[in-house]
Amino acid sequence: MSFTKVANLDEIKNNEKKTIFIDDKEILIINYDNNYYAINRRCTHLKGDLSKGKVENGIITCPNHGSKFDLTNGKSISGPKIAFLKFNTKDLTTYEVKIEDEEIYIKI
Ligand code: FES
């Protein structure tokens, strides 16, 4: 694994997201409170698009059925809720982020 440049710092402003594609991976880069995170863009439940998810308190919520994941480590905080049923879902893949010379790199 090595670091790959994914964006310039000014391309992803505070509280914005950017999707990048590397090989067969869809990776979401998130600037949350001026800290950068890189996570798999697809929810581990039914591949909901997390680029449309809301980020609050370091947690991203899937727009489809509400699964919540910790941005720092991808841990599943709570699984999907469908009707009145609640399920579990797997943790999300995350990638190490490095900032160097105003550029964002992720380890992949
Ligand atoms: S697809 Fe994300 S919670 Fe169902």
Side-chain angles (χ1 to χ4, degrees):
M1 287 199 281
S2 60
F3 282 95
T4 300
K5 181 187 170 187
V6 291
N8 294 320
L9 269 188
D10 60 3
E11 286 177 59
I12 311 173
K13 308 235 182 300
N14 194 23
N15 298 317
E16 288 185 354
K17 309 178 190 91
K18 179 182 180 180
T19 298
I20 58 151
F21 300 89
I22 298 179
D23 300 328
D24 60 341
K25 296 176 176 52
E26 295 178 43
I27 299 170
L28 191 60
I29 313 297
I30 300 170
N31 177 345
Y32 176 67
D33 281 351
N34 291 313
N35 289 303
Y36 292 85
Y37 303 91
I39 63 173
N40 193 341
R41 178 183 168 196
R42 295 291 169 184
C43 176
T44 55
H45 176 227
L46 291 174
K47 299 187 177 181
D49 183 357
L50 293 174
S51 71
K52 297 185 172 110
K54 191 172 176 184
V55 178
E56 278 180 324
N57 300 320
I59 292 168
I60 189 163
T61 302
C62 178
N64 289 10
H65 313 107
S67 287
K68 295 179 186 295
F69 302 94
D70 186 325
L71 284 183
T72 61
N73 55 19
K75 290 275 180 214
S76 171
I77 304 292
S78 66
K81 290 179 196 150
I82 300 172
F84 296 105
L85 301 174
K86 207 172 164 194
F87 301 90
N88 291 325
T89 194
K90 293 179 185 168
D91 296 342
L92 206 56
T93 301
T94 58
Y95 303 89
E96 188 178 340
V97 176
K98 173 173 91 171
I99 308 296
E100 207 171 86
D101 298 329
E102 303 291 308
E103 296 175 331
I104 304 166
Y105 295 81
I106 64 168
K107 195 174 197 176
I108 195 159

